[in-house]
Amino acid sequence: MFDKVKLKLNKEHLPAGYDWTSVIDNVNVCNRGYYEGGDGGWGEYRGRKIRAKNDYVIFEGSLSKCLFGNNIQTLTLAQVRQVIEMIGEELGVPMENAEVLELEFATNLTMSRRPVEYIRLLNGMKGYQKMNVAETVYFKNRQTQIKFYDKVLEAKKKRELPKHSEFGMAPYQLRYEVTFSKKSLAAMFGRTLKASDLWDKKVFYRLVAEWFGLYEEIDKLSDSPFGVTFNDIRTMRDFYTWCICIADVQQNMACYVKELFHRRDNPQAEDRQAHSHIQRVIRSAQSWKAKHVKSSVLIDELTGALHTYLQWLLDYSADGMTVEEQRELFGC
């Protein structure tokens, strides 16, 4: 589930006699360039970005692509260790001691329909700004980015699609990807992560829990807000609430009203109270919808796919855990 990382090996961990040219002029680095001051340079290592100066070395790119040439296949923790130690060995620096500046945690889920059909049902998320670009949806705040997109479509565009016959890859692959910043990781673990933490099971499963928890926080749409009976709208209050639910399908009403509030003309002191009241009404409508409007068949499938993947990860994958390990790691 680890993919793209940004690792910085700081001065205190550089080997004795280190010279940045030993990294940039390395036989494994190509497309290199040099800073005007003559104090460092950049290049590509196995197609990934590398930068070096006298006081640091930075690697940025997909660990999976370093090993497989694509990120459709998922790395085991042993393979994560293998790749990071390989980077260090080939570049001549101990990359396992590098601090993690950014970390992408993701997997590809096999679905029965085109990924865009599921993506359209992901509506909004508290504390995150939503952005749609083509058939990709992003949820962002200052520390974390969440992304859903069609992995097969992306791999075709980048010409990174492996042969289906070799990997048994299904045609509809929905990628769920979370990028954690150094700050968000520090908040999660209470310290800065090192590259060597990335093959630690306790760290791994803490990230798995966060990754799934973020999915659960996303507001999902039903297949249709019209899926109610007359008994669900017996009062005018129910009817008004239902209308808000219908509007919320076309436009995330909480985010839209918040934007209207920030852009209002002639601000008044009482505006904040009115805005809070409207947001409470929207939240109440969303709670009503959860009770009266049938859930989406596609969202149920997506949630089920995530549960199935997590069960496989825990019980059958190379990084699975015995009951004893679970008790040792999680105290349960």
Side-chain angles (χ1 to χ4, degrees):
M1 294 180 70
F2 292 113
D3 188 25
K4 186 178 179 180
V5 297
K6 187 174 183 179
L7 306 175
K8 183 179 183 182
L9 185 64
N10 291 310
K11 186 175 182 178
E12 61 269 25
H13 296 296
L14 292 169
Y18 161 80
D19 186 324
W20 65 265
T21 59
S22 66
V23 173
I24 301 304
D25 294 337
N26 190 291
V27 67
N28 296 295
V29 175
C30 63
N31 297 326
R32 59 182 65 88
Y34 304 93
Y35 298 120
E36 288 184 5
D39 59 345
W42 68 89
E44 290 184 9
Y45 165 79
R46 293 180 176 264
R48 310 307 122 205
K49 297 177 183 177
I50 194 82
R51 284 182 282 157
K53 285 193 171 185
N54 282 327
D55 55 352
Y56 67 77
V57 176
I58 292 178
F59 168 88
E60 184 176 2
S62 167
L63 297 176
S64 184
K65 289 180 181 179
C66 276
L67 192 62
F68 301 127
N70 67 75
N71 61 354
I72 294 172
Q73 295 167 267
T74 301
L75 293 170
T76 64
L77 296 185
Q79 288 169 331
V80 170
R81 180 173 187 171
Q82 176 188 344
V83 175
I84 291 174
E85 289 182 344
M86 176 185 71
I87 295 169
E89 182 179 343
E90 293 187 345
L91 296 180
V93 290
M95 288 305 293
E96 67 273 10
N97 294 325
E99 64 178 26
V100 180
L101 301 182
E102 194 171 274
L103 173 62
E104 190 175 276
F105 205 72
T107 199
N108 305 311
L109 302 166
T110 300
M111 311 307 296
S112 65
R113 310 260 298 261
R114 292 192 310 135
V116 68
E117 297 183 48
Y118 305 86
I119 289 169
R120 287 171 180 161
L121 297 172
L122 301 175
N123 191 36
M125 189 174 182
K126 186 177 181 180
Y128 287 75
Q129 179 183 6
K130 181 184 177 183
M131 182 172 65
N132 289 91
V133 179
E135 295 185 358
T136 299
V137 65
Y138 298 83
F139 300 95
K140 296 182 179 182
N141 63 19
R142 291 183 178 180
Q143 298 185 12
T144 307
Q145 175 182 278
I146 298 165
K147 183 179 178 182
F148 292 84
Y149 62 97
D150 186 328
K151 184 59 192 175
V152 174
L153 186 62
E154 188 233 27
K156 285 180 178 178
K157 288 180 179 178
K158 293 185 177 181
R159 298 184 179 181
E160 294 174 346
L161 190 65
K163 295 179 180 178
H164 287 204
S165 58
E166 183 180 352
F167 299 103
M169 184 180 174
Y172 300 135
Q173 295 281 309
L174 173 61
R175 187 168 179 85
Y176 168 36
E177 189 175 280
V178 178
T179 302
F180 299 102
S181 66
K182 177 182 175 181
K183 194 171 183 179
S184 64
L185 292 170
M188 206 182 308
F189 293 97
R191 61 183 177 86
T192 297
L193 287 188
K194 294 173 61 176
S196 58
D197 289 315
L198 301 185
W199 55 82
D200 180 280
K201 270 191 179 182
K202 193 165 188 176
V203 169
F204 175 70
Y205 277 102
R206 175 68 181 85
L207 288 165
V208 169
E210 185 71 16
W211 176 81
F212 182 72
L214 288 169
Y215 167 78
E216 289 189 307
E217 291 179 24
I218 298 171
D219 179 42
K220 291 92 172 171
L221 299 175
S222 58
D223 286 332
S224 170
F226 298 100
V228 296
T229 67
F230 184 72
N231 288 332
D232 293 314
I233 49 172
R234 295 299 293 267
T235 68
M236 287 307 298
R237 181 176 180 178
D238 288 335
F239 179 75
Y240 296 146
T241 301
W242 181 46
C243 290
I244 294 172
C245 294
I246 293 171
D248 200 43
V249 172
Q250 301 299 321
Q251 172 70 55
N252 185 310
M253 295 304 294
C255 293
Y256 187 70
V257 170
K258 184 178 181 180
E259 188 67 20
L260 291 177
F261 171 74
H262 287 309
R263 294 185 179 183
R264 68 195 189 280
D265 296 326
N266 189 27
Q268 302 294 319
E270 59 270 21
D271 292 349
R272 190 172 298 277
Q273 184 176 356
H275 176 239
S276 296
H277 176 69
I278 294 169
Q279 292 290 5
R280 283 196 298 272
V281 171
I282 293 171
R283 288 195 296 272
S284 177
Q286 291 170 340
S287 297
W288 183 91
K289 181 179 70 174
K291 294 178 182 178
H292 296 273
V293 180
K294 293 180 180 179
S295 62
S296 165
V297 173
L298 294 183
I299 289 297
D300 289 345
E301 181 192 349
L302 175 55
T303 303
L306 280 164
H307 279 288
T308 299
Y309 176 75
L310 294 178
Q311 195 67 50
W312 170 84
L313 192 66
L314 194 62
D315 294 339
Y316 303 106
S317 75
D319 301 314
M321 292 194 294
T322 63
V323 174
E324 290 73 20
E325 285 179 315
Q326 291 181 49
R327 287 173 180 163
E328 181 183 348
L329 290 175
F330 308 120
C332 60

